[in-house]
């Protein structure tokens, strides 16, 4: 009887683990700093990370950092509450061996914390890693604009924040706004910048000069 009880407990533990962790995959393609595709065709979006989209400043650097961690490697994934986005793409925390990929990218400044409930299992860790990367000016944080706007406008829905003069901020309905006094306050709450008005980083001309220096 006792052996059956032990087997039942082990079965429950196994099932509980399977609810959190997915199968092992091999990465075939890296789309960006936070999205990949496996050899079996499964697309995975990293939970808790925001990165520049293709064509924007620092996109290639973020993509390269992700590629070095996972490309052609075996990974395992961990789920949170919400397992797929609206496009049915898996939302996951990704591990390559003993490397927690989401956390490593944040630690090195190749992503920004983007906390979207209900997926906030590692919110405190991600915000702390971002704070340290920002303090040490790692990765993209080396190009942060030190100047501040009088305030910043966040969206309760998208959890992105904007400069107050941004067209999107001006058009946002008042009941959907969150006002932040500083960039620090927005980042500490897990909001990510909207790349269209770019409230965090230096002017485009300065970025262009930096890009030309690399060539």
């Amino acid at each position: 009887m006792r052996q059956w009880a032990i087997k039942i407990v082990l079965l429950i533990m196994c099932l509980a683990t399977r609810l959190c962790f997915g199968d092992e995959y091999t990465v075939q393609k890296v789309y960006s700093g936070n999205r990949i595709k496996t050899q079996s065709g499964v697309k995975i979006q990293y939970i808790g990370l925001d990165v520049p989209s293709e064509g924007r400043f620092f996109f290639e650097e973020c993509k390269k950092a992700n590629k070095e961690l996972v490309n052609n490697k075996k990974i395992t994934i961990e789920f949170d509450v919400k397992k797929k986005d609206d496009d049915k793409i898996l939302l996951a925390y990704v591990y390559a061996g003993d490397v927690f990929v989401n956390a490593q990218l944040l630690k090195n400044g190749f992503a920004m914390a983007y906390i979207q409930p209900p997926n906030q299992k590692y919110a405190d860790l991600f915000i702390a890693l971002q704070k340290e990367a920002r303090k040490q000016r790692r990765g993209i944080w080396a190009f942060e604009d030190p100047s501040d706007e009088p305030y910043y406008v966040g969206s309760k829905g998208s959890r992105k924040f904007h400069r107050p003069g941004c067209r999107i901020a001006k058009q946002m309905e008042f009941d959907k706004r969150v006002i932040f006094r500083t960039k620090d306050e927005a980042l500490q709450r897990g909001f990510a910048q909207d790349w269209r008005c770019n409230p965090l980083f230096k002017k485009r001309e300065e970025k262009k000069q930096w890009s030309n220096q690399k060539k």
Side-chain angles (χ1 to χ4, degrees):
M1 185 69 180
R2 188 175 178 181
Q3 288 182 339
W4 276 106
I6 292 172
K7 287 180 180 179
I8 290 170
V9 170
L10 290 173
L11 178 61
I12 291 171
M13 290 175 65
C14 180
L15 289 172
T17 301
R18 293 290 292 173
L19 287 174
C20 293
F21 289 87
D23 296 327
E24 185 177 77
Y25 298 98
T26 299
V27 176
Q28 181 186 65
K29 184 177 179 65
V30 175
Y31 291 109
S32 66
N34 65 351
R35 183 172 288 198
I36 56 177
K37 185 174 79 170
T38 69
Q39 285 183 351
S40 56
V42 176
K43 292 181 181 179
I44 300 170
Q45 177 83 20
Y46 297 176
I47 295 173
L49 304 191
D50 186 56
V51 297
S53 56
E54 189 167 5
R56 294 193 182 277
F57 172 67
F58 228 70
F59 167 81
E60 292 296 341
E61 286 79 3
C62 294
K63 179 180 177 180
K64 180 182 177 184
N66 188 23
K67 201 169 185 177
E68 289 174 352
L69 290 173
V70 302
N71 199 40
N72 296 320
K73 295 181 181 178
K74 291 187 181 299
I75 61 166
T76 54
I77 62 174
E78 178 185 0
F79 295 117
D80 208 324
V81 177
K82 185 178 179 181
K83 297 181 181 179
K84 291 184 179 180
D85 67 10
D86 294 338
D87 296 320
K88 307 302 180 185
I89 293 172
L90 285 186
L91 301 172
Y93 304 106
V94 175
Y95 299 84
D98 59 355
V99 176
F100 185 4
V101 176
N102 308 51
Q104 191 70 22
L105 290 168
L106 283 166
K107 179 182 177 181
N108 292 333
F110 291 108
M112 286 180 282
Y114 185 29
I115 310 304
Q116 296 176 282
N119 289 353
Q120 46 194 346
K121 186 185 297 185
Y122 297 109
D124 291 344
L125 171 64
F126 286 1
I127 290 170
L129 289 171
Q130 173 173 265
K131 185 176 182 180
E132 181 63 19
R134 189 177 175 217
K135 180 180 178 181
Q136 299 298 328
R137 297 181 63 80
R138 296 180 191 139
I140 198 169
W141 296 109
F143 305 95
E144 184 177 358
D145 187 346
S147 63
D148 259 320
E149 298 283 349
Y151 63 94
Y152 296 89
V153 181
S155 166
K156 293 179 181 178
S158 70
R159 292 186 64 82
K160 294 288 183 79
F161 71 96
H162 311 257
R163 297 180 189 273
C166 170
R167 173 181 56 83
I168 302 164
K170 289 179 177 179
Q171 294 175 350
M172 198 182 301
E173 296 177 23
F174 282 98
D175 62 342
K176 295 181 180 178
R177 295 183 179 189
V178 183
I179 302 300
F180 299 111
R181 291 168 295 178
T182 64
K183 291 180 285 191
D184 291 354
E185 185 181 357
L187 293 170
Q188 194 62 30
R189 290 273 298 276
F191 279 64
Q193 74 152 6
D194 190 294
W195 291 91
R196 289 169 290 185
C197 66
N198 207 22
L200 283 173
F201 298 103
K202 294 181 180 179
K203 294 178 182 178
R204 187 172 298 175
E205 292 76 15
E206 292 173 304
K207 296 173 193 172
K208 189 174 181 181
Q209 289 174 9
W210 172 80
S211 297
N212 289 336
Q213 288 171 7
K214 287 185 65 183
K215 293 178 181 178

